[in-house]
Amino acid sequence: MYTFSSKLKIFSIVLIILGAIGVGIGFSTSHKSFEEVETLLAEESHHGGHGEADAHHAPAHDTHAKEAAHGDAHNEHHAEAEHGHVDEHAKHIEHVQHQIANRPWSALYVAAFFFMMIALGCLAFYAIQIASQAGWSPVLFRVMEAITAYLLPGALIVLLIAAASHFIGHNNIFIWMDPEVVAHDKLIQGKSGWLNIWGFIFRGLIFIGGWSLYRHFARKFSIAQDTAEDKSNFKKSFRIAAGFLVFFIYTESMMSWDWIMSVDPHWFSTLFGWYVFASMFVSGITAIALVTLYLKSRGYLEFVNANHLHDVAKFMFAISIFWTYLWFSQFMLIWYSNIPEEVTYFISRFNDYQLPFLGMVVLNFVFPILMLMNADYKRMPWFVVMTGIVILFGHYIDIFNMIMPATVGDRWSIGIPEIGAILLFAGLFIYVVFTALTKAPLLAKGYPLIKESEEFHY
Amino acid sequence: MEASKVIHAIYNDDDVLMSAVKKVRAEKHHIEEIYTPFPVHGLDKAMGLEGTRIAICAFLYGLVGLTVAITMMNFIMIEDWPQNIGGKPSFSYIENMPAFVPIMFELTVFFAAHLMVITFYLRSRMWPFKKAENPDPRTTDDHFLMEIGVHGNEDALETLLKETGAVEIKLVDKAH
């Protein structure tokens, strides 16, 4: 049995408190009045500190200049143009005001989704191991079960933040939740059969219900099998794993439309569900590797050897490449055809998010492919830990890139609200996962393939 | 040192063979070669053979393929005749890079795979019309053959091999 060390417990609680303070600071500094934003923008354009801000001003000035040229001949036109410029100025400031207000919400949402997705990816991996009757991984089942314990609270928090952004906030994450916006937007009106707040909540609850139900019973059968006389729990576990995987691939896809793709309600992509899946799958596997190595270093998993680590690292390596394949397929198809209604998605990411957008390809592809290609490196714990941390950071940036451009636009940064939210959910994740680890023996000894797994060598 | 006389010990079970290899090596006899009808897992480790470096070759060949792809397309599409084809930007390589990635990928794999296979053929001396080097045709079916060099210790070797469970022991003169 594992005992939650008091040091780690205090560490996770400290993370939660620090994170909560950071999130609080984020929310308290994001409410800026019209005048405050106006002076902020004036200062920025004066100092020229924000290239993005200048770019934002440029179109307004351009139209003004053009209109002014006309105005030489027609004075009344000139007056109209002046008027239009003032309107545009006010609109611009309101736009920026919204973006600033959206930032703490999005920061919270990105971090909440990221940690939820680790648990969900891990659950999918667990179900695949059981359904495929893998012989190498049963020694890691209890670690996987513990990580998936975060799924229920984590997913509920994601849904709660999304709903709260509508009911408490000002639709800070999903603009389609704003009836004001929908009233003036034919495209969103056409999608309102799917994109409406109650449908969103209802579907979310079904997804979470289905996943948690599987997790609950898989865990129950797994623990029951430890002391069972026959293999009936194993058989049941196998059957529900197969059923869950079918349910999962449908709901995961729909979840990615609802929870992520709908932040850009004008944009759509068919392989998006797969893309999000690859991201969560590799993060989940990486989390398994990191938790396993932590427990092993504390002497709790003496039955896990370098061969198990090697296999987990192979999965990290392969799914990182799979993620890149999907990322590139999505990007390249849209870049190549360059259809305006699709390509704006990448234009905004390329212009305003160049470093995170291209940086994550280095973190999620170049780094793992070079670090984990060698068979010997995959067996070295510190190497896998280092690569794992880079992969997890890279996939946080991935989610960041999916959400932020739609909500805060060029007003992004990784500062107190973002880091606070990461710490908050990291602390919660550690607390929930390691508490779940104490609830059952770390070796699923009743599992029929456990002997094979203990003696697994590659 | 190549021995002029060798002993061929024949086994009919891979487990027996494995334990025989360990015993022979423990007695410090040099195993020249082992012939098996199929890969015996762990035999290379038991014999103390070095690991293969063919994966490193493949990695380097892949880099060659990537370089070939980039140089070729940069010259053809960007430097030599930068046409406007369907509005794709041909001002620099990086601007049009996504369109080149499928070819970069395929050539990397192509070079890595083919050159590695050719390297394997050369290093293991395999080619069409090559004379087979099989000392006993049964080793391609269901027998395992261990070849050990003899340096005047013939009798000691024979008793040792008998102990290890060899079903047949032959002294072969390689000199002719």
Side-chain angles (χ1 to χ4, degrees), chain A residues 328 331-332 335-338 370 373 457-458, chain B residues 41 59 88-89 95-99 101-102:
Chain A
F328 182 72
F331 170 70
M332 197 259 239
W335 172 85
Y336 206 101
S337 59
N338 205 16
L370 293 177
M373 194 184 295
H457 72 104
Y458 165 73
Chain B
H41 189 73
F59 180 72
K88 284 278 156 283
E95 271 183 309
N96 208 1
M97 213 261 306
V101 166

Side-chain angles (χ1 to χ4, degrees), chain A residues 13 47 50 61 82 96 101 103 117 156 175 192 198 209 211 225 231 253 312 359 372 383 406 421:
Chain A
I13 290 167
H47 295 307
H50 256 276
H61 285 304
E82 270 299 319
V96 173
R103 189 174 154 199
M117 133 182 141
L156 283 177
I175 54 160
S192 59
W198 289 109
W211 303 334
Q225 185 65 60
K231 302 293 177 218
S253 196
V312 177
L372 292 179
F383 228 92

